[in-house]
Amino acid sequence: MIAIVNYGMGNLRSVQKAFEHVGAKAVIVDKPEDIDTAERVVLPGVGAFGDAMSNLKTAGLIAPIVRAISEGRPFLGICLGLQLMFAESEEMGQHRGLDILPGKVKRFPEGQRVPQIGWNEVRIQRETVLLDGVPDGSYFYFVHSFFVASERDEDVVGVTDYGIDYASIAGNDRAFGVQFHPEKSQDAGLKILKNFAEKV
Amino acid sequence: MLARRIIPCLDVKNGRNVRGVRFSADKDAGDPIALARRYDAEGADELVFYDITASAEKRDIVGKLVRRVSEEVFIPFTVGGGVRTYQDIRIIIEGGAEKASINSAAVHTPEIITQGAESFGSQAIVGSIDAIRRPNSNQSEDVRWEVVINGGRTYTGRDALEWAEELVDRGAGELVLNSIDADGTKDGYDIELNRRVAERVDVPIVASGGAGGPEDMYAVLSKGKASAALAASIFHYNQYSIAEVKTYLAERGVPVRPRIEIDLT
C-alpha cells in the first residue's frame, strides 16, 4: 500500500488518481501511524517551504517520514516534497528541511519568468529503476519558483535547464524526489509512478 | 528548455461541449471528456474548460466535470467561466484541476485573486483579461486596450496593461489575454497586446482569441512573447491538429513538447 501524506499543502487527489490509473493502490493519510505501516510513502505538496515544515511538525509526521526512509521503504517527494528532502531553504527566510539530502533550496536567478510553468525536458544523469522505460529528454510538467541545489553530484538523477541547470530528479537508494508533477505529465509521468509502485 | 504550450479550450455547458463564436453558444458536440482525451492524444500541453452553465446547479456540475477529468486525463487543466467566490475556486482545485481562471469577478472584487493565491498558491490562480482596442486620446501612446467584462458587454474604463500588473501584484500566477477584437475572427491574435503585457509582467502569458492557424500561433509565441497559445474552433472542427501546429512551430525553432508513447502495461 502506498501512503500519500496529507499535511495541508495542496490537492492530493490527482496523485492518488494517477496511481490508480497505473494499477497501484494509494491512500491519502494524515496520521503518523499510517506512515509507519505504509510500504511506500509519497510526499506531494505545493506552497511555501516554511509552512510545509511547520505543518509536518505540528502533525507529528517528520519522524515517521524520516523513519520510513532510513528503514529503506521506497519514498517519493513530488514538487515541494522534493525540496523538503533537502537540508535547508532560503524561501522567505531560512528554514530547516527534512535533511535527507545535503543541499539547499534556492530561488531562480533574475531574468526568467517565475514561477516556471509548463513542460520542460529532463536529461537523465544516471540509471535507476524509477526511470525504467522513460526516454532521456522526456518532457514533464513543472510549476515552481525555487529549485534544489544538491551538494552531492551522485544525488542528481535528472537535470533540467531553466536559465540554469538544476536537479529536477534527486535521490539515492530508494528515496527519490521529482520537481515536476508526474501525475500531470502524461505517459512519462505515469511511467515514473508505475515504476515507483512496482520496482523501487 | 521550457516548451511553449498549445492549449485547446473546451467550452462546456451543463457538462456538455458547446462551441461559441464571439461568446454565443451554438452547437453541441458532445462529451468534454472524450474531446479532452482526443486533445491529449494529439499532444495538447494543457486544457482549459470554460464553463458557461448559468443555473443554480452550476457549482455541482463544474465539480463533477473537474473530478471526471482528473480521473481520466493526466495533463494539467484550468477551469474558468463564472468563477466568483473562494468556494468556486476551492471546488475546482480540490477536484484536481491545476488552476482556476478568474475574469469578471476580479474586476468587481479584486480581493478574490489575493484570497485565492493565499489559499492555493499563485500557481493556481489565473487572471483572465478580456481586452478591447480603444481610440487613444493620449497622443504619446499609439494604442490602448480597455478591460471589458460580462463576455465583452460591459466596459470597465480600466486600462488592460495596468490591470494586468495589478492582477499579478495581487497574486495571479499566469494571465490569459483574450482579445475581444480578434475573438472568433480567425485573423490572428492581438500580437501587440500580448507583447506589451509580456514585457510588463513576469508571469507567463497565455494568448487567446483569433487563432486561425499555425502561423498565428507562431506569431504570438515569437513576436508576441506569449508563453502559450490557446485556441478553440480550429482544433474543435479539425481544421488543424495539435500535432500539425507543433510540427510547424518546431520547424521554425519554437521549443515544443513532442508527444511520446510509453508502454504503461
Side-chain angles (χ1 to χ4, degrees):
Chain A
M1 193 264 299
I2 298 168
I4 302 171
V5 183
N6 177 17
Y7 56 114
M9 299 303 287
N11 167 54
L12 312 180
R13 187 183 140 83
S14 301
V15 177
Q16 186 186 26
K17 292 297 164 190
F19 272 118
E20 284 175 9
H21 189 77
V22 296
K25 184 170 161 45
V27 294
I28 295 173
V29 306
D30 55 11
K31 294 191 178 58
E33 55 270 31
D34 295 331
I35 296 173
D36 280 330
T37 55
E39 288 163 36
R40 291 178 158 78
V41 177
V42 176
L43 186 68
V46 291
F49 192 98
D51 292 348
M53 282 307 292
S54 129
N55 287 6
L56 285 174
K57 195 175 171 195
T58 308
L61 299 174
I62 292 178
I65 289 171
V66 172
R67 195 153 51 230
I69 294 168
S70 62
E71 287 171 7
R73 281 181 276 148
F75 175 91
L76 183 67
I78 296 175
C79 196
L80 182 58
L82 159 75
Q83 299 182 357
L84 294 170
M85 293 170 78
F86 281 78
E88 57 179 324
S89 168
E90 60 180 34
E91 179 179 355
M92 294 190 271
Q94 292 289 323
H95 301 278
R96 300 294 301 168
L98 295 170
D99 203 7
I100 291 149
L101 301 171
K104 207 173 173 180
V105 180
K106 298 177 172 178
R107 192 174 169 84
F108 279 123
E110 299 275 315
Q112 294 288 340
R113 287 185 192 272
V114 172
Q116 170 177 218
I117 299 183
W119 296 79
N120 205 334
E121 268 174 291
V122 173
R123 307 195 311 271
I124 298 173
Q125 303 299 296
R126 65 174 169 85
E127 250 180 58
T128 143
V129 289
L130 187 71
L131 300 175
D132 270 2
V134 177
D136 188 23
S138 289
Y139 280 77
F140 295 87
Y141 187 75
F142 290 82
V143 181
H144 62 125
S145 302
F146 291 78
F147 67 95
V148 296
S150 175
E151 253 173 45
R152 294 191 305 228
D153 286 348
E154 63 264 36
D155 290 339
V156 179
V157 179
V159 164
T160 293
D161 171 11
Y162 192 59
I164 49 159
D165 273 349
Y166 68 94
S168 46
I169 308 177
N172 50 53
D173 296 328
R174 306 176 87 185
F176 295 98
V178 294
Q179 182 61 68
F180 48 82
H181 288 272
E183 75 281 12
K184 293 287 178 171
S185 295
Q186 238 267 343
D187 285 6
L190 293 171
K191 186 68 174 178
I192 285 181
L193 296 180
K194 189 172 170 69
N195 288 340
F196 175 75
E198 295 173 2
K199 294 185 175 176
V200 173
Chain B
M1 200 198 279
L2 184 68
R4 299 285 197 277
R5 287 169 280 156
I6 300 300
I7 308 176
C9 178
L10 297 83
D11 290 356
V12 288
K13 185 179 185 181
N14 297 320
R16 301 280 294 168
N17 270 323
V18 173
R19 227 358 271 147
V21 174
R22 280 186 186 271
F23 294 99
S24 63
D26 52 10
K27 188 176 165 186
D28 186 358
D31 180 18
I33 307 292
L35 187 56
R37 279 222 198 92
R38 187 189 108 194
Y39 288 148
D40 175 26
E42 285 182 7
D45 297 309
E46 234 174 283
L47 301 169
V48 169
F49 293 87
Y50 187 77
D51 181 82
I52 57 165
T53 307
S55 73
E57 292 80 40
K58 179 180 174 80
R59 207 177 266 166
D60 292 341
I61 291 167
V62 171
K64 196 174 154 201
L65 174 72
V66 172
R67 289 193 299 277
R68 277 187 69 206
V69 174
S70 70
E71 282 161 20
E72 301 194 42
V73 184
F74 299 96
I75 57 174
F77 66 100
T78 302
V79 178
V83 178
R84 305 200 177 281
T85 65
Y86 171 82
Q87 191 62 12
D88 293 338
I89 300 173
R90 197 171 73 87
I91 280 166
I92 290 166
I93 302 302
E94 291 187 352
E98 272 48 57
K99 311 171 209 178
S101 178
I102 304 164
N103 193 318
S104 300
V107 173
H108 296 302
T109 44
E111 297 74 26
I112 186 69
I113 298 287
T114 322
Q115 196 188 10
E118 278 170 2
S119 302
F120 304 103
S122 283
Q123 84 293 335
I125 305 300
V126 178
S128 173
I129 301 175
D130 289 349
I132 195 161
R133 283 180 178 246
R134 300 290 277 164
N136 202 336
S137 49
N138 180 353
Q139 296 302 312
S140 66
E141 296 271 341
D142 48 338
V143 60
R144 68 183 188 96
W145 291 264
E146 183 172 340
V147 178
V148 293
I149 54 172
N150 302 324
R153 293 189 300 273
T154 310
Y155 289 74
T156 66
R158 278 177 189 272
D159 178 76
L161 305 189
E162 285 169 15
W163 180 231
E165 210 163 48
E166 182 176 343
L167 287 170
V168 173
D169 287 345
R170 285 185 175 275
E174 183 165 272
L175 296 178
V176 174
L177 302 179
N178 185 45
S179 163
I180 296 297
D181 307 286
D183 192 54
T185 65
K186 296 192 178 173
D187 290 338
Y189 298 94
D190 189 332
I191 305 296
E192 190 66 8
L193 169 66
N194 281 277
R195 187 180 64 79
R196 291 275 193 95
V197 177
E199 285 171 353
R200 195 146 164 166
V201 300
D202 282 335
V203 302
I205 303 299
V206 180
S208 167
E215 62 285 358
D216 297 327
M217 291 174 162
Y218 174 69
V220 85
L221 294 172
S222 52
K223 271 189 296 181
K225 299 191 175 181
S227 297
L230 183 143
S233 49
I234 64 164
F235 296 137
H236 192 83
Y237 295 118
N238 278 316
Q239 280 172 297
Y240 295 94
S241 72
I242 293 159
E244 282 175 283
V245 169
K246 286 194 168 180
T247 302
Y248 182 96
L249 294 172
E251 283 168 2
R252 283 154 187 80
V254 177
V256 289
R257 174 186 71 111
R259 175 74 165 83
I260 52 161
E261 298 271 353
I262 292 176
D263 181 11
L264 287 172
T265 55

